[in-house]
Tab-separated table of all heavy atoms in Angstrom:
chain	number	residue	atom	x	y	z
A	1492	GLU	N	-98.979	46.972	62.815
A	1492	GLU	CA	-98.748	47.389	64.196
A	1492	GLU	C	-98.920	46.256	65.199
A	1492	GLU	O	-98.858	46.478	66.403
A	1492	GLU	CB	-99.679	48.544	64.563
A	1492	GLU	CG	-99.331	49.850	63.872
A	1492	GLU	CD	-99.889	49.922	62.460
A	1492	GLU	OE1	-100.913	49.247	62.186
A	1492	GLU	OE2	-99.301	50.613	61.627
A	1493	GLY	N	-99.214	45.052	64.728
A	1493	GLY	CA	-99.351	43.918	65.619
A	1493	GLY	C	-100.780	43.579	65.992
A	1493	GLY	O	-101.009	42.638	66.751
A	1494	GLN	N	-101.757	44.314	65.469
A	1494	GLN	CA	-103.153	44.018	65.785
A	1494	GLN	C	-103.614	42.795	64.990
A	1494	GLN	O	-103.242	42.624	63.840
A	1494	GLN	CB	-104.058	45.231	65.515
A	1494	GLN	CG	-104.304	45.547	64.060
A	1494	GLN	CD	-103.255	46.423	63.417
A	1494	GLN	OE1	-102.130	46.498	63.875
A	1494	GLN	NE2	-103.613	47.070	62.334
A	1495	ILE	N	-104.412	41.967	65.633
A	1495	ILE	CA	-104.952	40.770	64.981
A	1495	ILE	C	-106.212	41.185	64.231
A	1495	ILE	O	-107.184	41.636	64.829
A	1495	ILE	CB	-105.235	39.672	66.003
A	1495	ILE	CG1	-103.930	39.225	66.658
A	1495	ILE	CG2	-105.927	38.488	65.329
A	1495	ILE	CD1	-104.086	38.239	67.774
A	1496	LEU	N	-106.180	41.042	62.903
A	1496	LEU	CA	-107.305	41.454	62.073
A	1496	LEU	C	-108.380	40.380	61.987
A	1496	LEU	O	-109.561	40.690	61.931
A	1496	LEU	CB	-106.816	41.809	60.667
A	1496	LEU	CG	-105.741	42.905	60.602
A	1496	LEU	CD1	-105.287	43.104	59.180
A	1496	LEU	CD2	-106.271	44.190	61.195
A	1497	LYS	N	-107.960	39.113	61.962
A	1497	LYS	CA	-108.912	38.003	61.866
A	1497	LYS	C	-108.216	36.747	62.369
A	1497	LYS	O	-107.026	36.574	62.179
A	1497	LYS	CB	-109.356	37.834	60.413
A	1497	LYS	CG	-110.369	36.783	60.161
A	1497	LYS	CD	-111.757	37.319	60.279
A	1497	LYS	CE	-112.712	36.238	59.814
A	1497	LYS	NZ	-114.070	36.606	59.938
A	1498	ARG	N	-109.001	35.869	62.992
A	1498	ARG	CA	-108.462	34.625	63.533
A	1498	ARG	C	-109.502	33.534	63.355
A	1498	ARG	O	-110.693	33.785	63.472
A	1498	ARG	CB	-108.158	34.830	65.015
A	1498	ARG	CG	-107.560	33.634	65.682
A	1498	ARG	CD	-107.292	33.923	67.126
A	1498	ARG	NE	-106.023	34.624	67.218
A	1498	ARG	CZ	-105.623	35.273	68.280
A	1498	ARG	NH1	-106.379	35.353	69.343
A	1498	ARG	NH2	-104.453	35.857	68.308
A	1499	GLY	N	-109.054	32.302	63.077
A	1499	GLY	CA	-109.988	31.197	62.931
A	1499	GLY	C	-109.291	29.923	62.497
A	1499	GLY	O	-108.074	29.876	62.332
A	1500	ASN	N	-110.095	28.869	62.317
A	1500	ASN	CA	-109.557	27.575	61.900
A	1500	ASN	C	-109.660	27.338	60.398
A	1500	ASN	O	-109.082	26.391	59.889
A	1500	ASN	CB	-110.267	26.441	62.642
A	1500	ASN	CG	-109.673	26.208	64.008
A	1500	ASN	OD1	-108.461	26.254	64.180
A	1500	ASN	ND2	-110.524	25.966	64.988
A	1501	ASP	N	-110.409	28.166	59.679
A	1501	ASP	CA	-110.545	28.038	58.228
A	1501	ASP	C	-109.702	29.126	57.563
A	1501	ASP	O	-110.004	30.315	57.684
A	1501	ASP	CB	-112.017	28.166	57.833
A	1501	ASP	CG	-112.234	27.934	56.353
A	1501	ASP	OD1	-111.315	27.429	55.680
A	1501	ASP	OD2	-113.337	28.262	55.875
A	1502	LEU	N	-108.650	28.726	56.869
A	1502	LEU	CA	-107.718	29.695	56.293
A	1502	LEU	C	-108.400	30.598	55.280
A	1502	LEU	O	-108.159	31.800	55.254
A	1502	LEU	CB	-106.534	28.968	55.650
A	1502	LEU	CG	-105.467	29.862	55.022
A	1502	LEU	CD1	-104.850	30.794	56.052
A	1502	LEU	CD2	-104.398	29.025	54.355
A	1503	ARG	N	-109.260	30.053	54.447
A	1503	ARG	CA	-109.935	30.884	53.433
A	1503	ARG	C	-110.797	31.970	54.066
A	1503	ARG	O	-110.845	33.092	53.583
A	1503	ARG	CB	-110.763	30.020	52.501
A	1503	ARG	CG	-109.909	29.144	51.615
A	1503	ARG	CD	-110.773	28.325	50.681
A	1503	ARG	NE	-110.000	27.329	50.007
A	1503	ARG	CZ	-109.519	27.465	48.782
A	1503	ARG	NH1	-109.737	28.575	48.130
A	1503	ARG	NH2	-108.824	26.501	48.228
A	1504	GLN	N	-111.466	31.641	55.165
A	1504	GLN	CA	-112.272	32.640	55.871
A	1504	GLN	C	-111.389	33.710	56.496
A	1504	GLN	O	-111.738	34.886	56.502
A	1504	GLN	CB	-113.118	31.979	56.967
A	1504	GLN	CG	-114.236	31.123	56.438
A	1504	GLN	CD	-115.381	31.954	55.894
A	1504	GLN	OE1	-115.188	33.026	55.334
A	1504	GLN	NE2	-116.580	31.451	56.059
A	1505	VAL	N	-110.266	33.308	57.025
A	1505	VAL	CA	-109.350	34.257	57.657
A	1505	VAL	C	-108.761	35.204	56.607
A	1505	VAL	O	-108.613	36.394	56.855
A	1505	VAL	CB	-108.241	33.506	58.423
A	1505	VAL	CG1	-107.170	34.444	58.921
A	1505	VAL	CG2	-108.848	32.737	59.589
A	1506	LEU	N	-108.463	34.687	55.410
A	1506	LEU	CA	-107.867	35.516	54.360
A	1506	LEU	C	-108.859	36.493	53.740
A	1506	LEU	O	-108.449	37.439	53.068
A	1506	LEU	CB	-107.266	34.626	53.272
A	1506	LEU	CG	-106.028	33.822	53.676
A	1506	LEU	CD1	-105.586	32.932	52.534
A	1506	LEU	CD2	-104.905	34.725	54.128
A	1507	ARG	N	-110.145	36.301	53.982
A	1507	ARG	CA	-111.148	37.215	53.419
A	1507	ARG	C	-110.993	38.637	53.915
A	1507	ARG	O	-111.377	39.580	53.240
A	1507	ARG	CB	-112.557	36.710	53.722
A	1507	ARG	CG	-112.928	35.572	52.820
A	1507	ARG	CD	-114.400	35.319	52.845
A	1507	ARG	NE	-114.676	34.201	51.947
A	1507	ARG	CZ	-115.787	33.550	51.926
A	1507	ARG	NH1	-116.754	33.880	52.754
A	1507	ARG	NH2	-115.967	32.566	51.080
A	1508	VAL	N	-110.434	38.821	55.103
A	1508	VAL	CA	-110.208	40.169	55.611
A	1508	VAL	C	-109.247	40.932	54.692
A	1508	VAL	O	-109.376	42.141	54.521
A	1508	VAL	CB	-109.708	40.144	57.073
A	1508	VAL	CG1	-108.294	39.638	57.185
A	1508	VAL	CG2	-109.834	41.505	57.707
A	1509	LEU	N	-108.320	40.233	54.059
A	1509	LEU	CA	-107.406	40.874	53.118
A	1509	LEU	C	-108.040	41.043	51.751
A	1509	LEU	O	-107.753	42.012	51.047
A	1509	LEU	CB	-106.113	40.062	53.009
A	1509	LEU	CG	-105.275	39.993	54.278
A	1509	LEU	CD1	-104.077	39.082	54.073
A	1509	LEU	CD2	-104.847	41.362	54.720
A	1510	GLU	N	-108.907	40.123	51.340
A	1510	GLU	CA	-109.581	40.235	50.045
A	1510	GLU	C	-110.433	41.492	49.983
A	1510	GLU	O	-110.549	42.120	48.936
A	1510	GLU	CB	-110.423	39.000	49.774
A	1510	GLU	CG	-109.612	37.773	49.452
A	1510	GLU	CD	-110.455	36.543	49.223
A	1510	GLU	OE1	-111.703	36.639	49.307
A	1510	GLU	OE2	-109.869	35.485	48.968
A	1511	ARG	N	-111.032	41.869	51.101
A	1511	ARG	CA	-111.823	43.105	51.133
A	1511	ARG	C	-110.957	44.317	50.837
A	1511	ARG	O	-111.389	45.261	50.203
A	1511	ARG	CB	-112.495	43.261	52.495
A	1511	ARG	CG	-113.633	42.314	52.685
A	1511	ARG	CD	-114.396	42.639	53.957
A	1511	ARG	NE	-114.789	41.375	54.542
A	1511	ARG	CZ	-114.585	41.025	55.790
A	1511	ARG	NH1	-114.001	41.855	56.618
A	1511	ARG	NH2	-114.969	39.855	56.234
A	1512	LYS	N	-109.719	44.283	51.293
A	1512	LYS	CA	-108.795	45.394	51.030
A	1512	LYS	C	-108.409	45.435	49.549
A	1512	LYS	O	-108.159	46.505	49.006
A	1512	LYS	CB	-107.555	45.268	51.905
A	1512	LYS	CG	-107.866	45.415	53.380
A	1512	LYS	CD	-106.644	45.308	54.222
A	1512	LYS	CE	-106.973	45.312	55.683
A	1512	LYS	NZ	-107.668	46.481	56.156
A	1513	LEU	N	-108.385	44.293	48.884
A	1513	LEU	CA	-108.079	44.243	47.455
A	1513	LEU	C	-109.196	44.900	46.665
A	1513	LEU	O	-108.934	45.646	45.718
A	1513	LEU	CB	-107.890	42.797	46.998
A	1513	LEU	CG	-107.591	42.591	45.514
A	1513	LEU	CD1	-106.260	43.244	45.158
A	1513	LEU	CD2	-107.564	41.123	45.175
A	1514	ILE	N	-110.421	44.679	47.040
A	1514	ILE	CA	-111.558	45.296	46.344
A	1514	ILE	C	-111.482	46.809	46.474
A	1514	ILE	O	-111.699	47.537	45.516
A	1514	ILE	CB	-112.886	44.747	46.885
A	1514	ILE	CG1	-113.007	43.262	46.521
A	1514	ILE	CG2	-114.065	45.531	46.327
A	1514	ILE	CD1	-114.151	42.551	47.223
A	1515	ARG	N	-111.128	47.308	47.642
A	1515	ARG	CA	-110.995	48.758	47.849
A	1515	ARG	C	-109.812	49.316	47.053
A	1515	ARG	O	-109.874	50.422	46.557
A	1515	ARG	CB	-110.798	49.066	49.312
A	1515	ARG	CG	-112.032	48.857	50.120
A	1515	ARG	CD	-111.822	49.350	51.546
A	1515	ARG	NE	-112.774	48.663	52.396
A	1515	ARG	CZ	-112.510	48.139	53.559
A	1515	ARG	NH1	-111.308	48.208	54.050
A	1515	ARG	NH2	-113.443	47.530	54.259
Side-chain angles (χ1 to χ4, degrees):
E1492 289 82 26
Q1494 73 274 23
I1495 296 175
L1496 303 177
K1497 183 90 172 177
R1498 182 180 277 165
N1500 277 320
D1501 184 14
L1502 181 60
R1503 291 181 190 262
Q1504 290 286 34
V1505 172
L1506 291 177
R1507 283 195 180 166
V1508 71
L1509 295 176
E1510 288 178 0
R1511 287 188 217 129
K1512 295 181 186 301
L1513 179 63
I1514 293 169
R1515 288 187 203 136

